[in-house]
């Protein structure tokens, strides 16, 4: 039986099974079996003013403190049962120290070591873990320059899902995904597919230039995404709420606290992922997304949605403008010595440039010329 | 007992009992008693392509057709029991033919005639009404140049409040308010107060220039607002939904229909009124607001909230930019002969100019200089 | 022009202009003008354990404390600007000390004195008010035996509408209405109409027995309702939330606190009023309703909805059972000496008896016999 | 590192890794590898009046018709991309013809054949599939007597996730789970664990009697649950909505259609699963659950929550009564010849009997005696 994809009536959405072009300078596929990754589990970020960051994440965003000391705060979301989803560590330079994934078994750490060793990457393993609450773990500088961590062993803590006496209007219930900036998206995707990830959606142009790709292990739209740009850098880390009004409540609270200027983009509805979203910036400029309601992607033949970079509804389904900083700003990442990784420039076309301003071109309806009163048209 | 207003901790919000400066060229207060106005009841708009407008209001916005013929469509919201809240009439020039208010009794029509006759306005009364469903009514060209209508007699129709079999995700349940553009806001407010309206909120600067004022008869934030600008023109007409997700559903539907370019501004949370909002434009450019959740204002000493025009949260509590078209575009209004009224320029400062761009100045926190990545800062 | 009411397709709903039968033993209509009542403003209740009640209303329901001392707590809702909406006063017997209404002007207090004096009621006036925050006020024992209060002068406090930093998931934003138990509903309604109230909805049977009536001053479905039963007693006091999920959040929190047994009825959708509701009981058994989204009723010819007492969707639109305690339990009310008023039995048919159990009869569709698995059918 | 489970402060909730007692009469574990099941995919039900059922599922519940003919209707939810989630087939006896699961690959069908053949079950395979849209598939009568189906090959159809022009207020977006009635829950669980399922939550008493267990493949609380009772029977099939208000909209619509008597239980918040729920009954009495917002369970050491059968918040977090029909009624299931399977009685204690009525015992707070006005206490 053939599996014809019925094209969506939303015309510029194209679906296909394997839409990303073959990369020119492919990272070789290791012969060894990759680790069986369950999900993105936590991010460790370096902040330059721990008190200010604690206030932002705990007092404003209402993340739950599992544990803290003078230099570090361990935070989790309401439905989490592992020790943390976010680590704030005091340091001299705002950056990301680890993108951490949970794997299915302790043996998967051996597989991670073999996989990255074969790739020629720097690999370190610590039986006692790198941060509190996490046991035996592996950290690597991956082929794209990102500090990736893998662990299985973890301290269990109370899952606060039923603790409605503690919920706040904007309660964050789950870590949803990471988003990484890298110059060559097809090259990054091919490596991530070797690591066991699957593409769910992507943005391309007619020439096949790939601007971004979303990839998953758990059956949501993504555990991480690759966004084309100067990298390696961290674009954002995303937490989920239950409903859309929870995200609106966060905006309202930021207004009441006279902190509305931390709202960078949104709230809005994504085209890609179909989720409702908000982007805010923490005191160091690290970008946080609040996200709710994407869709199940767990079947191996889950249709891949390819968006035209010129479709003005791809990034915001309502066609609202993407602020330039959202394309240009991102956080540095650290190597395993804790030093910032040098950033390599993207040489492919930039999504910002091809879509906004005098040289850009975006449409609401394919064939119609861009027009109207949208702010994005006037930039 | 004194009634000291406890200042809100949201610092730039100032409350006072009568905040609008006395107008220089005041319209004389009539000696006669004004009509007892219940509420804004319906707007009659002229559209240049009735089929296109019917599709917009009925198929997209899901307003209910009470009755229609070849040149006119009579529409109502789900909780309405009078014949209509919006009349679409085919005509050569897109404009507003009437801002129509319901009064408490038939005798209030006599009062309206006397009130506007004393003001020297053109006044017409028709026992059979101007449009279907409405009986005895009075139309005037008011001192500001707007076509105002007053009526009591009206055909009752089914209130569809309980008809959840007919509701759609973005169901509009009530006409909430009008918004008018006029050059001299204090002059307009003084006349409207003579007509029995009360100010609930306003926007001023430190010099006392008034940029906008919200006024009510029914105990919500407004039945109409006066927005400073070239006028007389109609800024928007607003319909209410039950909840915020209903407004989001309208945006999502517009995206699915590839009509996202009709979204002009929002969705967002207003500072003024505290309501959740969306602005869209119909096929003729008439602006529609979708609105939910302002507050009770029915006490005679209801505190008036005066916003600083430089407060970047006054128009959008989240500090998101107001698109320039929202300040500049508005619909013409017709005189009683159906001819467009000439537009008089505003001579006071423009809110657009004092808040956006090189000469403007807006703050998130009073004393802080404007900065950050908001689109509004880059225009 | 005639005003034919189009019957709703929801068949057993009947609308009419004046549906309540003329009472047999009518309370004479005073010749004097009644006070111009704005709205229900606050209730003063006597609680037997102030600490327990404070915990319930402040820690569980998140009402805002305006002021408190050793014997009294003054509470308000988030959008209120007057001193309080609920007073908890320590006392020996759980009861209601006052149903308090705000009037339009100080002169209306004189009108209240004259109105009730003419009715032969006990009337007391105190220039300094009866409770903190309230100035000159009048308390009466009304013809039905209820302690009614009227005031204009009141201390203003911060309206917390914009204080989203303080909101909780179940935030109560407004006092919505009272509900009173009285033996003879038509007699009560006629008196309340003399006082200036208007009926919006009621429950009757085919013989014209009236079981309950809803009456308003502000343009919502009610400021108070008269429920047929042994009285005078207080059935409940209701606070409004913004949206339905806020009410669900209160239920969820009660579950998390292992206090779910204070949930007496709901959440559900009312037939009468069309609002979404929840009934809970405080530590003394005083009943609180949480309520959201009824409709505008401010027009003088607002259609009155008369529900058949046998319509199983009248009290709960989903046909879910009304628990017997909801019909039988209510709070005592105090006379002006602070003594509980004797309770007089209802002699008309009881809604409980005619609708539930072996002798009752309720239908989902008129003409169909009651059947199915609903708990209400098995009681 | 040890993984101590921090007990929830919601006291009667106990978590453990493997809480179900070892069954006495265990079904032998096959030596062969089980099929790799992705998720519950669709249910095929036999209905006795196809027109009535089509009206219920399409006009009332707004499921999407993928395809239909004179005897069969194929329905899907808004986010689905495979041909259907529910098949309605006209037949003489209301029953369930198949609980159908999607597997990861075509090879898993061979594994399913081997697995059930080793178990001694009747196994049939059809290369052309049993219903339209599904290709090569295997149907078995499983050891518990249920008709289970496995397939990989399926026709793709448009995923309507972005088609907000088609959404209705109560849109069903995903098939969430099945629920089966079987006499011996531990025996059923042990077999399902052999098939690759994992327990997420369960209900027991202090003696270790197991009343129900929830088991998952995809990382939600369940793909199916085993409910103790006379079986094999089908308890319900559940569809997910995005938010809670969508479920309320379904109730409201049923009221408007005067079909509220199809609401059997809810809406409410489950204790088990923490989801918001509603149970309704179709024209043949088949039970449908509408369900939203459980939590991620995909980690192999996901904590298992064991509820005390006497905890009155286990089935409804708000303590609202479970109607007896919910415990007693269920749908017959068919063997592979299309004949109803005989029903075997449960011999273990019944949850209905141990929790409701004179011999039952439920508590809100452990140690407190049952009391109060809840309907459940009066049955």
């Amino acid at each position: 039986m053939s599996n014809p994809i019925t094209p969506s009536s939303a015309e510029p959405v194209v679906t296909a099974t394997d839409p990303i072009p073959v990369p020119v300078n492919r990272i070789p596929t290791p012969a060894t079996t990759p680790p069986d990754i369950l999900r993105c589990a936590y991010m460790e970020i370096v902040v330059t003013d721990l008190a200010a960051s604690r206030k932002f994440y705990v007092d404003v965003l209402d993340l739950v403190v599992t544990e803290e000391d003078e230099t570090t705060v361990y935070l989790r979301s309401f439905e989490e049962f592992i020790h943390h989803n976010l680590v704030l560590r005091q340091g001299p330079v705002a950056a990301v120290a680890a993108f951490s994934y949970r794997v299915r078994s302790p043996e998967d750490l051996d597989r991670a070591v073999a996989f990255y060793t074969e790739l020629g990457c720097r690999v370190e393993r610590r039986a006692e873990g790198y941060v509190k609450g996490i046991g035996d773990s592996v950290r690597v500088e991956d082929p794209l320059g990102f500090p990736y961590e893998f662990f299985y062993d973890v301290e269990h803590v109370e899952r606060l899902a039923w603790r409605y006496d503690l919920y706040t209007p904007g309660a964050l219930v789950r870590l949803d995904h990471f988003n990484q900036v890298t110059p060559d998206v097809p090259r990054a995707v091919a490596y991530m597919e070797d690591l066991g990830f699957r593409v769910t959606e992507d943005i391309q142009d007619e020439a096949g230039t790939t601007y971004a790709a979303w990839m998953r292990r758990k059956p949501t739209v993504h555990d991480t995404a690759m966004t084309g740009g100067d990298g390696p850098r961290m674009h954002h880390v995303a937490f989920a709420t239950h409903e859309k009004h929870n995200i609106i409540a966060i905006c309202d609270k930021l207004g009441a606290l006279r902190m509305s200027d931390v709202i960078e983009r949104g709230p809005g509805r994504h085209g890609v992922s179909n989720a409702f979203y908000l982007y805010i910036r923490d005191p160091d400029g690290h970008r946080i997304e609040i996200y709710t309601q994407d869709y199940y992607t767990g079947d191996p033949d889950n249709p891949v949605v390819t968006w035209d970079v010129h479709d003005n509804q791809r990034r915001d389904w309502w066609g609202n403008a993407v602020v330039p900083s959202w394309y240009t700003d991102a956080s540095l990442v650290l190597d395993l010595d804790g030093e910032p990784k040098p950033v390599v420039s993207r040489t492919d076309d930039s999504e910002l440039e091809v879509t906004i301003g005098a040289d850009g071109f975006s449409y609401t309806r394919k064939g119609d010329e861009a027009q109207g009163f949208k702010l994005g048209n006037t930039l």
Side-chain angles (χ1 to χ4, degrees), chain A residues 57-58 60-64 76-79 160-161 163-175 239-251 253 290-292:
Chain A
Y57 288 102
V58 178
V60 178
L61 290 184
D62 300 313
L63 283 169
V64 178
R76 74 181 191 276
S77 51
F78 273 80
E79 293 182 353
L160 298 169
R163 291 297 302 276
Y164 292 103
D165 52 324
L166 303 179
Y167 274 64
T168 53
L172 305 179
V173 298
R174 198 167 47 77
L175 175 73
F239 289 89
T241 64
H242 278 144
E243 300 196 336
K244 296 183 287 290
H245 63 81
N246 301 115
I247 291 182
I248 293 169
I250 292 172
C251 297
K253 183 176 179 182
I290 320 293
Y291 181 94
T292 194

Short mmCIF file of all heavy atoms in Angstrom, two decimals, chain A residues 57-58 60-64 76-79 160-161 163-175 239-251 253 290-292:
data_model
loop_
_atom_site.label_atom_id
_atom_site.label_comp_id
_atom_site.label_asym_id
_atom_site.label_seq_id
_atom_site.Cartn_x
_atom_site.Cartn_y
_atom_site.Cartn_z
N TYR A 57 13.97 33.36 37.61
CA TYR A 57 13.45 32.02 37.38
C TYR A 57 12.53 31.52 38.49
O TYR A 57 11.63 30.73 38.24
CB TYR A 57 14.60 31.03 37.16
CG TYR A 57 15.29 31.22 35.82
CD1 TYR A 57 16.52 31.88 35.71
CD2 TYR A 57 14.70 30.76 34.65
CE1 TYR A 57 17.14 32.05 34.49
CE2 TYR A 57 15.32 30.93 33.42
CZ TYR A 57 16.53 31.58 33.34
OH TYR A 57 17.14 31.76 32.12
N VAL A 58 12.77 31.99 39.70
CA VAL A 58 11.98 31.48 40.84
C VAL A 58 10.84 32.43 41.18
O VAL A 58 9.69 32.01 41.30
CB VAL A 58 12.88 31.25 42.06
CG1 VAL A 58 12.06 30.77 43.27
CG2 VAL A 58 13.98 30.24 41.73
N VAL A 60 9.76 35.15 39.43
CA VAL A 60 8.95 35.60 38.29
C VAL A 60 8.36 34.41 37.54
O VAL A 60 7.16 34.35 37.31
CB VAL A 60 9.78 36.50 37.35
CG1 VAL A 60 8.95 36.93 36.15
CG2 VAL A 60 10.30 37.72 38.11
N LEU A 61 9.20 33.43 37.18
CA LEU A 61 8.71 32.31 36.38
C LEU A 61 8.20 31.14 37.22
O LEU A 61 7.64 30.18 36.68
CB LEU A 61 9.80 31.81 35.42
CG LEU A 61 10.14 32.77 34.28
CD1 LEU A 61 11.16 32.13 33.34
CD2 LEU A 61 8.87 33.13 33.49
N ASP A 62 8.41 31.20 38.51
CA ASP A 62 7.85 30.20 39.43
C ASP A 62 8.35 28.79 39.20
O ASP A 62 7.65 27.82 39.51
CB ASP A 62 6.31 30.22 39.36
CG ASP A 62 5.74 31.57 39.76
OD1 ASP A 62 6.18 32.12 40.79
OD2 ASP A 62 4.86 32.08 39.05
N LEU A 63 9.55 28.64 38.67
CA LEU A 63 10.16 27.32 38.67
C LEU A 63 10.42 26.91 40.11
O LEU A 63 10.57 27.75 41.01
CB LEU A 63 11.45 27.31 37.85
CG LEU A 63 11.24 27.28 36.33
CD1 LEU A 63 12.55 27.55 35.59
CD2 LEU A 63 10.67 25.93 35.88
N VAL A 64 10.48 25.60 40.34
CA VAL A 64 10.59 25.06 41.69
C VAL A 64 12.06 24.81 42.03
O VAL A 64 12.78 24.19 41.25
CB VAL A 64 9.80 23.74 41.80
CG1 VAL A 64 9.95 23.13 43.18
CG2 VAL A 64 8.34 23.99 41.45
N ARG A 76 13.27 22.85 38.86
CA ARG A 76 12.50 21.90 38.05
C ARG A 76 11.10 22.44 37.80
O ARG A 76 10.66 23.40 38.42
CB ARG A 76 12.43 20.53 38.74
CG ARG A 76 11.51 20.44 39.94
CD ARG A 76 11.59 19.02 40.50
NE ARG A 76 10.60 18.71 41.49
CZ ARG A 76 10.68 18.98 42.79
NH1 ARG A 76 11.71 19.63 43.28
NH2 ARG A 76 9.72 18.61 43.60
N SER A 77 10.42 21.76 36.89
CA SER A 77 9.05 22.12 36.52
C SER A 77 8.07 21.25 37.34
O SER A 77 8.48 20.28 37.98
CB SER A 77 8.86 21.91 35.02
OG SER A 77 9.29 20.61 34.66
N PHE A 78 6.80 21.61 37.27
CA PHE A 78 5.82 21.00 38.18
C PHE A 78 5.58 19.51 37.95
O PHE A 78 5.21 18.80 38.87
CB PHE A 78 4.48 21.76 38.10
CG PHE A 78 4.43 22.92 39.04
CD1 PHE A 78 5.03 24.13 38.72
CD2 PHE A 78 3.81 22.81 40.28
CE1 PHE A 78 5.01 25.20 39.59
CE2 PHE A 78 3.78 23.88 41.16
CZ PHE A 78 4.38 25.07 40.82
N GLU A 79 5.74 19.04 36.74
CA GLU A 79 5.45 17.62 36.50
C GLU A 79 6.72 16.77 36.44
O GLU A 79 6.66 15.58 36.14
CB GLU A 79 4.66 17.46 35.18
CG GLU A 79 3.27 18.07 35.29
CD GLU A 79 2.43 17.90 34.04
OE1 GLU A 79 2.95 17.41 33.01
OE2 GLU A 79 1.25 18.27 34.08
N LEU A 160 5.29 17.19 41.29
CA LEU A 160 4.32 18.10 41.91
C LEU A 160 3.04 18.25 41.09
O LEU A 160 2.24 19.16 41.31
CB LEU A 160 4.97 19.47 42.12
CG LEU A 160 6.19 19.46 43.06
CD1 LEU A 160 6.92 20.81 43.00
CD2 LEU A 160 5.78 19.15 44.49
N ALA A 161 2.83 17.33 40.17
CA ALA A 161 1.69 17.45 39.25
C ALA A 161 0.37 17.67 39.97
O ALA A 161 -0.48 18.43 39.50
CB ALA A 161 1.60 16.20 38.37
N ARG A 163 0.02 18.92 42.99
CA ARG A 163 0.13 19.91 44.07
C ARG A 163 -0.44 21.26 43.61
O ARG A 163 0.27 22.26 43.52
CB ARG A 163 1.59 20.04 44.52
CG ARG A 163 2.10 18.80 45.24
CD ARG A 163 1.33 18.55 46.53
NE ARG A 163 1.42 19.70 47.40
CZ ARG A 163 2.44 19.92 48.23
NH1 ARG A 163 3.44 19.06 48.30
NH2 ARG A 163 2.45 21.00 48.97
N TYR A 164 -1.76 21.27 43.37
CA TYR A 164 -2.41 22.49 42.89
C TYR A 164 -2.41 23.59 43.94
O TYR A 164 -2.69 24.74 43.62
CB TYR A 164 -3.83 22.18 42.44
CG TYR A 164 -3.87 21.32 41.20
CD1 TYR A 164 -4.14 19.96 41.26
CD2 TYR A 164 -3.58 21.88 39.95
CE1 TYR A 164 -4.16 19.17 40.13
CE2 TYR A 164 -3.59 21.10 38.81
CZ TYR A 164 -3.89 19.75 38.90
OH TYR A 164 -3.90 18.97 37.77
N ASP A 165 -2.06 23.24 45.16
CA ASP A 165 -1.90 24.30 46.17
C ASP A 165 -0.64 25.13 45.90
O ASP A 165 -0.51 26.24 46.42
CB ASP A 165 -1.85 23.70 47.58
CG ASP A 165 -0.83 22.58 47.70
OD1 ASP A 165 -0.66 21.81 46.72
OD2 ASP A 165 -0.20 22.47 48.76
N LEU A 166 0.27 24.61 45.07
CA LEU A 166 1.51 25.32 44.76
C LEU A 166 1.51 25.96 43.38
O LEU A 166 2.36 26.79 43.07
CB LEU A 166 2.70 24.35 44.85
CG LEU A 166 2.88 23.62 46.18
CD1 LEU A 166 4.09 22.68 46.08
CD2 LEU A 166 3.06 24.60 47.32
N TYR A 167 0.58 25.56 42.53
CA TYR A 167 0.55 26.11 41.17
C TYR A 167 0.34 27.62 41.19
O TYR A 167 -0.39 28.15 42.01
CB TYR A 167 -0.60 25.48 40.37
CG TYR A 167 -0.28 24.17 39.70
CD1 TYR A 167 0.03 23.04 40.46
CD2 TYR A 167 -0.32 24.02 38.32
CE1 TYR A 167 0.30 21.82 39.84
CE2 TYR A 167 -0.07 22.80 37.70
CZ TYR A 167 0.24 21.70 38.47
OH TYR A 167 0.50 20.49 37.86
N THR A 168 0.95 28.27 40.22
CA THR A 168 0.73 29.69 39.98
C THR A 168 0.08 29.83 38.60
O THR A 168 0.04 28.86 37.83
CB THR A 168 2.06 30.44 40.06
OG1 THR A 168 2.99 29.81 39.17
CG2 THR A 168 2.61 30.42 41.47
N PRO A 169 -0.44 31.02 38.27
CA PRO A 169 -1.17 31.14 37.00
C PRO A 169 -0.35 30.78 35.77
O PRO A 169 -0.91 30.37 34.76
CB PRO A 169 -1.58 32.62 36.98
CG PRO A 169 -1.69 33.00 38.42
CD PRO A 169 -0.56 32.25 39.09
N GLY A 170 0.96 30.95 35.85
CA GLY A 170 1.78 30.65 34.68
C GLY A 170 2.66 29.43 34.89
O GLY A 170 3.76 29.35 34.32
N ALA A 171 2.19 28.47 35.67
CA ALA A 171 3.03 27.33 36.06
C ALA A 171 3.66 26.61 34.86
O ALA A 171 2.98 26.23 33.92
CB ALA A 171 2.21 26.34 36.88
N LEU A 172 4.98 26.40 34.95
CA LEU A 172 5.74 25.65 33.95
C LEU A 172 5.74 24.20 34.36
O LEU A 172 6.18 23.87 35.46
CB LEU A 172 7.16 26.21 33.84
CG LEU A 172 7.24 27.71 33.56
CD1 LEU A 172 8.70 28.16 33.50
CD2 LEU A 172 6.50 28.08 32.29
N VAL A 173 5.25 23.33 33.50
CA VAL A 173 5.02 21.95 33.93
C VAL A 173 6.03 20.95 33.38
O VAL A 173 6.11 19.82 33.88
CB VAL A 173 3.59 21.49 33.59
CG1 VAL A 173 2.57 22.37 34.33
CG2 VAL A 173 3.33 21.50 32.09
N ARG A 174 6.81 21.33 32.36
CA ARG A 174 7.67 20.35 31.72
C ARG A 174 8.75 21.08 30.94
O ARG A 174 8.49 22.14 30.38
CB ARG A 174 6.83 19.51 30.75
CG ARG A 174 7.40 18.21 30.31
CD ARG A 174 6.34 17.34 29.62
NE ARG A 174 5.56 18.05 28.63
CZ ARG A 174 6.00 18.36 27.41
NH1 ARG A 174 7.22 18.01 27.03
NH2 ARG A 174 5.22 19.01 26.58
N LEU A 175 9.97 20.53 30.92
CA LEU A 175 10.97 21.01 29.96
C LEU A 175 10.56 20.46 28.61
O LEU A 175 10.38 19.25 28.46
CB LEU A 175 12.36 20.50 30.34
CG LEU A 175 13.47 20.86 29.33
CD1 LEU A 175 13.80 22.35 29.41
CD2 LEU A 175 14.72 20.02 29.57
N PHE A 239 10.13 25.71 28.08
CA PHE A 239 9.31 25.03 29.08
C PHE A 239 7.85 25.04 28.63
O PHE A 239 7.40 26.02 28.02
CB PHE A 239 9.44 25.72 30.43
CG PHE A 239 10.77 25.51 31.07
CD1 PHE A 239 11.83 26.38 30.82
CD2 PHE A 239 10.99 24.42 31.90
CE1 PHE A 239 13.08 26.17 31.39
CE2 PHE A 239 12.23 24.20 32.48
CZ PHE A 239 13.28 25.08 32.23
N ALA A 240 7.14 23.99 28.97
CA ALA A 240 5.74 23.87 28.57
C ALA A 240 4.80 24.28 29.70
O ALA A 240 5.09 24.05 30.88
CB ALA A 240 5.42 22.43 28.16
N THR A 241 3.68 24.86 29.34
CA THR A 241 2.56 25.07 30.27
C THR A 241 1.41 24.16 29.84
O THR A 241 1.45 23.57 28.76
CB THR A 241 2.04 26.52 30.23
OG1 THR A 241 1.52 26.80 28.92
CG2 THR A 241 3.14 27.51 30.56
N HIS A 242 0.39 24.06 30.67
CA HIS A 242 -0.76 23.24 30.30
C HIS A 242 -1.60 23.88 29.20
O HIS A 242 -2.03 23.22 28.27
CB HIS A 242 -1.67 23.02 31.52
CG HIS A 242 -1.20 21.94 32.43
ND1 HIS A 242 -1.33 22.00 33.79
CD2 HIS A 242 -0.58 20.76 32.16
CE1 HIS A 242 -0.83 20.89 34.32
NE2 HIS A 242 -0.37 20.14 33.36
N GLU A 243 -1.87 25.18 29.36
CA GLU A 243 -2.84 25.81 28.45
C GLU A 243 -2.31 27.18 28.03
O GLU A 243 -1.34 27.70 28.57
CB GLU A 243 -4.20 25.95 29.14
CG GLU A 243 -4.77 24.59 29.56
CD GLU A 243 -6.25 24.59 29.89
OE1 GLU A 243 -6.80 25.65 30.25
OE2 GLU A 243 -6.88 23.52 29.78
N LYS A 244 -2.99 27.75 27.05
CA LYS A 244 -2.57 29.04 26.50
C LYS A 244 -2.70 30.16 27.53
O LYS A 244 -1.86 31.07 27.58
CB LYS A 244 -3.40 29.35 25.26
CG LYS A 244 -3.18 28.36 24.13
CD LYS A 244 -3.96 28.71 22.88
CE LYS A 244 -5.44 28.46 22.99
NZ LYS A 244 -5.83 27.04 23.02
N HIS A 245 -3.75 30.12 28.34
CA HIS A 245 -3.92 31.20 29.31
C HIS A 245 -2.77 31.25 30.31
O HIS A 245 -2.50 32.30 30.89
CB HIS A 245 -5.26 31.10 30.04
CG HIS A 245 -5.41 29.85 30.86
ND1 HIS A 245 -4.88 29.73 32.12
CD2 HIS A 245 -6.02 28.69 30.61
CE1 HIS A 245 -5.16 28.53 32.59
NE2 HIS A 245 -5.85 27.87 31.70
N ASN A 246 -2.08 30.15 30.52
CA ASN A 246 -0.93 30.18 31.42
C ASN A 246 0.17 31.06 30.85
O ASN A 246 0.87 31.77 31.58
CB ASN A 246 -0.39 28.77 31.65
CG ASN A 246 -1.42 27.81 32.25
OD1 ASN A 246 -1.82 26.84 31.62
ND2 ASN A 246 -1.87 28.11 33.45
N ILE A 247 0.35 31.01 29.55
CA ILE A 247 1.38 31.84 28.91
C ILE A 247 0.97 33.31 28.97
O ILE A 247 1.80 34.20 29.25
CB ILE A 247 1.60 31.37 27.46
CG1 ILE A 247 2.27 29.99 27.47
CG2 ILE A 247 2.43 32.38 26.68
CD1 ILE A 247 2.59 29.42 26.11
N ILE A 248 -0.30 33.58 28.75
CA ILE A 248 -0.77 34.96 28.85
C ILE A 248 -0.57 35.48 30.28
O ILE A 248 -0.21 36.64 30.48
CB ILE A 248 -2.25 35.02 28.41
CG1 ILE A 248 -2.34 34.70 26.92
CG2 ILE A 248 -2.87 36.37 28.73
CD1 ILE A 248 -3.75 34.46 26.42
N ALA A 249 -0.78 34.61 31.26
CA ALA A 249 -0.59 35.02 32.66
C ALA A 249 0.85 35.44 32.92
O ALA A 249 1.11 36.34 33.72
CB ALA A 249 -1.01 33.89 33.60
N ILE A 250 1.80 34.79 32.27
CA ILE A 250 3.20 35.18 32.44
C ILE A 250 3.43 36.57 31.87
O ILE A 250 4.08 37.42 32.50
CB ILE A 250 4.12 34.13 31.78
CG1 ILE A 250 4.04 32.81 32.56
CG2 ILE A 250 5.57 34.63 31.71
CD1 ILE A 250 4.75 31.65 31.88
N CYS A 251 2.87 36.85 30.72
CA CYS A 251 2.99 38.20 30.14
C CYS A 251 2.36 39.23 31.09
O CYS A 251 2.94 40.30 31.33
CB CYS A 251 2.28 38.26 28.79
SG CYS A 251 2.98 37.20 27.53
N LYS A 253 1.90 39.09 34.25
CA LYS A 253 2.72 39.26 35.44
C LYS A 253 3.96 40.11 35.14
O LYS A 253 4.32 40.99 35.94
CB LYS A 253 3.13 37.89 35.99
CG LYS A 253 3.94 37.95 37.28
CD LYS A 253 4.23 36.55 37.82
CE LYS A 253 5.07 36.61 39.09
NZ LYS A 253 5.39 35.24 39.58
N ILE A 290 8.33 29.88 26.32
CA ILE A 290 7.22 29.21 27.00
C ILE A 290 6.32 28.72 25.87
O ILE A 290 6.04 29.46 24.92
CB ILE A 290 6.46 30.15 27.95
CG1 ILE A 290 7.43 31.07 28.71
CG2 ILE A 290 5.60 29.35 28.91
CD1 ILE A 290 8.34 30.41 29.68
N TYR A 291 5.85 27.49 25.98
CA TYR A 291 5.39 26.74 24.81
C TYR A 291 4.25 25.84 25.24
O TYR A 291 4.31 25.23 26.31
CB TYR A 291 6.61 25.95 24.35
CG TYR A 291 6.54 25.07 23.14
CD1 TYR A 291 6.92 25.56 21.90
CD2 TYR A 291 6.17 23.74 23.24
CE1 TYR A 291 6.95 24.73 20.77
CE2 TYR A 291 6.18 22.90 22.13
CZ TYR A 291 6.57 23.40 20.89
OH TYR A 291 6.61 22.57 19.79
N THR A 292 3.23 25.71 24.40
CA THR A 292 2.19 24.74 24.73
C THR A 292 1.48 24.23 23.49
O THR A 292 1.26 24.98 22.54
CB THR A 292 1.16 25.33 25.73
OG1 THR A 292 0.36 24.27 26.26
CG2 THR A 292 0.25 26.37 25.10
#
